[in-house]
């Protein structure tokens, strides 16, 4: 039974019991019908037992019999039709190197640049104190729980993967002793061998995923749908190990489903796309939503010939005609990622092309040198579970600009060619110069319909951009593009283990947006600094306004605090405030996270800080992280900062676990800088004795108030001088940093322009009032004249 959530809290439930079973791969076979605004078809799930069950089994415990409450009515599923029941359709005579992972009739578009990447992690997912575990008080059958919403589920059945021709190779290690369970164990053993194939056999793996997905069914499964979940069971099966490891679900979406939006593009043509819904993709297909459920996928999508299907996929799909007027598009991903990152867009998109390929100019001044440490990171094995990782590919590590395409409605093609197309290689090159290897092998950029509620959204291999960035010219378009490109590293290749820590994705992308864009523009050091100071001022004002006009609990970047990243018994959890309406429009996780990273960069030094980011990417790509993973690694690289009192705990207290604006912005606050500033002041006043006392005490002082207390022993004039000077030179509260931004050349130019137009507007209004008064006086005189004359 689904738990009763507090409607006042608007928490998002993640119902999937990922600790018991994990989806390793999805095969989708879908039809898109614009007349009925429905996507329907089949999805096949390939599963493995979860980490919690495996641990229990290894210690000799009697299975991991998850007990579930049977208050929901379990009903038999309806009859449905399996489109391909002949397992010989994927005969072993067909070479999987030729089939590659391509859909019906497609050619393999992979190259030698290591274009298959990322990974999966078997550690726990986030949860809050109020977990959504479903427990049983009677029924002993194991329940597989999937996240599901706004879907019509028609049928669920077990797939007979043993019927696939040529599958015998995956049964050699199977130990079958119990005759009664022989066939069921054989099927599960086949799936286990398939999902654990070495990464260098990825083509063979995807080939057999396709064949198995088309195998006949071997028994329907009982299921029930709730508000947030789909629960599946097989009568008599009590443990995840015995539950079918390959199941097929026939379903269709609903027009009102919240994962996709049906609309028209700017040219008035119909389209549908995933718009980044708060409920993610559970209204597009049944799935496991928790971030720990990293999986791969492949999808065949059929629609009318006039439409183009774009999707998260490593291949640049080409359509194959199935029948007159119907085309099929096939995409695949070998990089395990959360199901929430799956993205699709179907519309009458036009590819934007240019007659020449511009040379990508790079400024060597900004290139980070490839140190011996860089090569050592690449030579060492990656920290993630095995998969075809681009960070281990020599060709991918040298690929400054990955292949890219731009799509847009017909009416925006010219604008995209003028403002967007030429910026992409510059921004990709700048990102590579900063962080190194691109995590993904290619990139599609799509200008989405005008109802898109954001400026951009990044997903694996595809970026959605709002039409609003195009009229803004080169700067607005470039900065937003850099922000979304940054998500390839922070948000996708490196994900947050706890979804409430959004700042790990958005804070880093906001910070790196400035770095990428400055390098794409090839700005000088002074120009880069001036531009970043101006943007910092604008962001500071937005943050200040948001903090003043929002609930305090929504301003906390780590709302679960010490419980962040904890795992519930079944793996089910909630995302705190995940459905809060106003949270969608808030930028506190962007801005507050940005200022934390900015303050650390200024304290450590820009070059050293970017080197640490690059090291973090090489160490943690393909993994899920928590805030402390980054902060601990950063402080280990700069141990002198610990001596000055900067710790992970202090950052939690000041930045991540509290609401509002941090009282202190760490700009220059280590004791060495304090001693330098104090010594300079004291020498000017020829007060060396006081200076010596101060320098002896400073290392023990934790905050600025200690300096002020010491200064009270001095003369009042010295105390006042030290207070004002040290306050500006040593430790600048965030509330006062805006004063330093005013010294920026760009800020002064903008302020001058604003002042000019305000005065111009005032003059116009004054002259208008004067003219109106004159007109009113003339009118009154004319009326009096008429009255007198009458």
């Amino acid at each position: 039974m689904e738990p009763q959530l507090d409607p006042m809290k608007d928490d998002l439930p993640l119902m999937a019991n990922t600790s018991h079973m994990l989806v390793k791969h999805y095969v989708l076979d879908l039809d898109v019908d614009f007349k009925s605004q429905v996507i329907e078809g089949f999805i096949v799930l390939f599963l493995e037992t979860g980490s919690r069950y495996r641990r229990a089994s290894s210690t000799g415990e009697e299975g991991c019999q998850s007990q579930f409450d049977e208050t929901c009515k379990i009903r038999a599923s309806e009859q449905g039709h399996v489109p391909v029941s002949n397992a010989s359709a994927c005969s072993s005579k067909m070479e999987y190197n030729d089939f590659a992972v391509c859909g019906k009739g497609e050619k393999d578009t992979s190259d030698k640049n290591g274009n298959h990447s990322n990974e999966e992690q078997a550690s726990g997912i986030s949860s809050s104190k109020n977990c959504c575990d479903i427990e049983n008080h009677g029924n002993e059958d194991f329940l597989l729980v999937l996240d599901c919403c706004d879907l019509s589920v028609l049928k669920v059945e077990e797939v007979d993967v043993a019927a696939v021709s040529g599958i015998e190779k995956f049964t050699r290690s199977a130990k079958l002793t119990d005759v009664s369970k022989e066939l069921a164990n054989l099927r599960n053993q086949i799936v286990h061998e398939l999902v654990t194939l070495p990464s260098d056999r990825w083509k063979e793996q995807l080939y057999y995923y396709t064949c198995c997905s088309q195998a006949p069914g071997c028994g329907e499964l009982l299921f029930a749908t709730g508000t947030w979940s789909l629960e599946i069971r097989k009568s008599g099966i009590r443990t995840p190990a015995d539950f079918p490891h390959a199941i097929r679900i026939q379903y269709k979406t609903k027009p009102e489903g919240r994962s996709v939006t049906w609309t028209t593009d700017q040219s008035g043509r119909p389209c549908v796309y995933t718009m980044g819904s708060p409920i993610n993709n559970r209204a597009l297909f049944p799935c496991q939503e928790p971030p720990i459920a990293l999986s791969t996928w492949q999808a065949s999508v059929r629609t009318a010939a006039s439409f183009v299907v774009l999707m998260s996929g490593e291949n640049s799909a080409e359509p194959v005609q199935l029948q007159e007027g119907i085309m099929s598009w096939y995409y695949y991903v070998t990089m395990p990622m959360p199901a929430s990152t799956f993205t699709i867009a179907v519309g009458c998109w036009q590819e934007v092309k240019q007659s020449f390929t511009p040379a990508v100019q790079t400024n060597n001044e900004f290139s980070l040198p490839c140190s011996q440490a860089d090569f050592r990171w690449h030579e060492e094995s990656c920290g993630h579970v095995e998969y075809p990782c681009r960070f281990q590919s020599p060709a991918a590590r040298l690929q400054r600009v990955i292949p890219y395409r731009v799509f847009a409605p017909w009416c925006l093609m010219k604008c995209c060619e003028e403002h967007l197309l030429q910026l992409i290689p510059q921004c990709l090159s700048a990102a590579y110069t900063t962080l190194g290897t691109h995590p993904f092998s290619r990139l599609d950029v799509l200008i989405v319909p005008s109802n898109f509620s954001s400026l951009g959204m990044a997903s694996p291999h595809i970026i959605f951009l709002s039409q609003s960035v195009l009229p803004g010219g080169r700067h607005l378009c470039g900065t937003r593009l850099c922000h979304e490109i940054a998500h390839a590293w922070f948000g996708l290749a490196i994900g947050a283990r706890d979804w409430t820590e959004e700042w790990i994705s958005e804070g880093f992308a906001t910070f790196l947006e400035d770095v990428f864009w400055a390098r794409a523009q090839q700005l000088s050091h002074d120009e880069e600094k001036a531009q970043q100071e101006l943007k910092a001022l604008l962001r500071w004002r937005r943050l200040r306004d948001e903090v003043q006009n929002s609930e305090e609990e929504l301003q906390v970047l780590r709302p679960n605090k010490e419980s962040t990243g904890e795992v519930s018994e079944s793996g089910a959890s909630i995302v705190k405030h995940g459905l809060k309406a106003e949270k969608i429009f808030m930028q506190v996780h962007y801005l507050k996270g940005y200022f934390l990273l900015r303050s650390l960069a200024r304290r450590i030094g820009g070059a050293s800080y970017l080197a640490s980011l690059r090291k973090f990417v090489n160490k943690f790509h393909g993994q899920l992280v928590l805030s402390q993973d980054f902060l601990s690694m950063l402080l280990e690289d700069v141990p002198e900062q610990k001596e000055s009192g900067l710790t992970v705990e202090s950052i939690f207290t000041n930045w991540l676990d509290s609401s509002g604006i941090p009282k202190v912005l760490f700009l220059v606050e280590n004791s060495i800088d304090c001693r330098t500033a104090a010594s300079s002041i004291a020498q000017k006043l020829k007060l060396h004795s006081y200076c010596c006392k101060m320098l002896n005490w400073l290392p023990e002082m934790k905050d600025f108030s200690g300096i002020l207390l010491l200064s009270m022993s001095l003369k009042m004039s010295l105390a006042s001088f030290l207070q004002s000077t040290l306050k500006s030179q040593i430790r600048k509260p965030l509330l006062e940093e805006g004063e330093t931004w005013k010294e920026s050349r760009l800020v002064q130019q903008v302020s001058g322009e604003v002042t000019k137009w305000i005065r111009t507007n005032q003059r116009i209004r004054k002259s208008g009032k004067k003219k109106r008064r004159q007109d009113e006086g003339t009118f009154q005189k004319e009326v009096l004249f008429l009255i007198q004359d009458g």
Side-chain angles (χ1 to χ4, degrees), residues 128-349:
S128 71
K129 295 180 180 178
N130 300 317
C131 65
C132 305
D133 287 337
I134 306 176
E135 297 183 355
N136 175 25
H137 303 287
N139 181 38
E140 295 181 350
D141 286 348
F142 169 75
L143 273 181
L144 173 67
V145 184
L146 302 175
D147 293 296
C148 175
C149 179
D150 301 334
L151 292 178
S152 296
V153 178
L154 307 177
K155 181 180 179 180
V156 182
E157 65 179 350
E158 183 177 358
V159 179
D160 187 8
V161 296
V164 174
S165 178
I167 204 71
E168 303 82 27
K169 66 172 70 177
F170 298 112
T171 64
R172 293 172 185 169
S173 61
K175 298 178 181 179
L176 307 175
T177 57
D178 190 337
V179 177
S180 64
K181 294 184 177 181
E182 181 174 348
L183 194 54
N185 286 344
L186 176 63
R187 296 187 188 110
N188 286 353
Q189 181 67 25
I190 290 171
V191 174
H192 171 75
E193 295 292 331
L194 180 57
V195 301
T196 56
L197 279 179
S199 60
D200 60 356
R201 296 172 64 183
W202 64 269
K203 289 186 179 182
E204 179 185 7
Q205 185 181 50
L206 286 181
Y207 166 77
Y208 278 105
Y209 276 141
T210 301
C211 294
C212 290
S213 70
Q214 297 171 352
C218 55
E220 295 189 18
L221 303 176
L222 302 172
F223 69 90
T225 55
T227 305
W228 293 108
S229 68
L230 168 64
E231 298 174 345
I232 305 170
R233 71 180 177 93
K234 182 177 181 179
S235 182
I237 298 300
R238 301 184 178 185
T239 68
D242 295 328
F243 190 82
H245 283 30
I247 62 174
R248 178 163 43 227
I249 303 171
Q250 181 184 6
Y251 75 99
K252 61 181 179 180
T253 65
K254 298 179 180 179
E256 67 273 16
R258 288 168 282 174
S259 291
V260 298
T261 180
W262 299 84
T263 184
T264 56
D265 64 20
Q266 292 84 343
S267 297
R269 298 177 178 179
C271 61
V272 60
Y273 68 102
T274 48
M275 68 294 192
S277 168
I279 68 167
N280 300 309
N281 285 324
R282 67 183 69 186
L284 177 59
F285 59 91
C287 58
Q288 291 183 330
E289 288 267 276
I292 183 56
L294 301 179
S295 59
T296 54
W297 59 75
Q298 60 192 95
S300 294
V301 180
R302 293 170 296 278
T303 189
S306 58
F307 293 95
V308 173
V309 178
L310 301 177
M311 192 186 300
S312 302
E314 294 171 15
N315 59 315
S316 299
E318 295 293 337
V320 175
Q321 184 171 347
L322 298 182
Q323 61 189 61
E324 187 176 356
I326 300 295
M327 306 293 282
S328 177
W329 301 72
Y330 177 83
Y331 288 89
Y332 63 87
V333 163
T334 63
M335 169 183 179
M337 285 171 289
S340 59
T341 63
F342 179 94
T343 302
I344 187 171
V346 184
C348 299
W349 324 119

Side-chain angles (χ1 to χ4, degrees), residues 45-198:
L45 281 58
F46 294 87
L47 303 121
E48 274 277 76
T49 52
S51 57
R52 191 173 292 273
Y53 175 80
R54 289 195 297 269
R55 285 196 298 269
S57 298
S58 65
T59 57
E61 296 180 17
E62 189 71 23
C64 168
Q65 288 199 59
S66 232
Q67 305 295 321
F68 297 94
D69 193 334
E70 190 62 35
T71 56
C72 59
K73 184 183 296 183
I74 303 291
R75 61 181 177 83
S77 56
E78 303 172 8
Q79 294 296 323
H81 173 66
V82 180
V84 180
S85 58
N86 183 6
S88 64
C90 287
S91 169
S92 60
K93 294 180 179 179
M94 179 185 295
E95 294 292 336
Y96 52 77
N97 277 331
D98 296 330
F99 180 88
V101 286
C102 305
K104 303 170 184 176
E106 277 196 40
K107 296 181 179 179
D108 181 13
T109 57
S110 62
D111 54 33
K112 298 180 180 180
N113 288 327
N115 58 343
H116 303 284
S117 48
N118 227 338
E119 101 28 296
E120 106 189 61
Q121 175 171 308
S123 58
I125 67 165
S126 63
S127 68
S128 71
K129 295 180 180 178
N130 300 317
C131 65
C132 305
D133 287 337
I134 306 176
E135 297 183 355
N136 175 25
H137 303 287
N139 181 38
E140 295 181 350
D141 286 348
F142 169 75
L143 273 181
L144 173 67
V145 184
L146 302 175
D147 293 296
C148 175
C149 179
D150 301 334
L151 292 178
S152 296
V153 178
L154 307 177
K155 181 180 179 180
V156 182
E157 65 179 350
E158 183 177 358
V159 179
D160 187 8
V161 296
V164 174
S165 178
I167 204 71
E168 303 82 27
K169 66 172 70 177
F170 298 112
T171 64
R172 293 172 185 169
S173 61
K175 298 178 181 179
L176 307 175
T177 57
D178 190 337
V179 177
S180 64
K181 294 184 177 181
E182 181 174 348
L183 194 54
N185 286 344
L186 176 63
R187 296 187 188 110
N188 286 353
Q189 181 67 25
I190 290 171
V191 174
H192 171 75
E193 295 292 331
L194 180 57
V195 301
T196 56
L197 279 179

Side-chain angles (χ1 to χ4, degrees), residues 76 204 293 301 337 393 456 531 542 589 602 744:
E204 179 185 7
V301 180
M337 285 171 289
S393 167
Q531 181 172 282
R542 290 206 307 271
H589 44 284
R602 296 188 64 173
S744 168

Side-chain angles (χ1 to χ4, degrees), residues 7-80:
M8 300 303 294
K9 289 186 176 180
D10 291 320
D11 295 329
L12 173 66
L14 304 179
M15 305 296 294
N17 52 345
T18 55
S19 292
H20 301 148
M21 295 201 80
L22 277 173
V23 177
K24 309 297 288 186
H25 187 77
Y26 297 93
V27 178
L28 295 100
D29 189 39
L30 304 174
D31 291 279
V32 180
D33 186 352
F34 281 93
K35 291 183 179 179
S36 61
Q37 294 190 343
V38 164
I39 299 174
E40 62 179 319
F42 298 83
I43 182 170
V44 178
L45 281 58
F46 294 87
L47 303 121
E48 274 277 76
T49 52
S51 57
R52 191 173 292 273
Y53 175 80
R54 289 195 297 269
R55 285 196 298 269
S57 298
S58 65
T59 57
E61 296 180 17
E62 189 71 23
C64 168
Q65 288 199 59
S66 232
Q67 305 295 321
F68 297 94
D69 193 334
E70 190 62 35
T71 56
C72 59
K73 184 183 296 183
I74 303 291
R75 61 181 177 83
S77 56
E78 303 172 8
Q79 294 296 323

Side-chain angles (χ1 to χ4, degrees), residues 468-505:
S468 302
V469 304
L470 298 177
R474 176 181 173 85
H475 185 80
L476 179 57
C477 195
T479 54
R480 195 65 215 183
L481 186 60
C482 286
H483 181 99
E484 304 306 334
I485 288 175
H487 278 309
W489 287 268
F490 291 94
L492 296 174
I494 300 175
R497 200 195 317 168
D498 190 322
W499 272 356
T500 61
E501 289 199 302
E502 296 172 82
W503 83 272
I504 294 178
S505 173

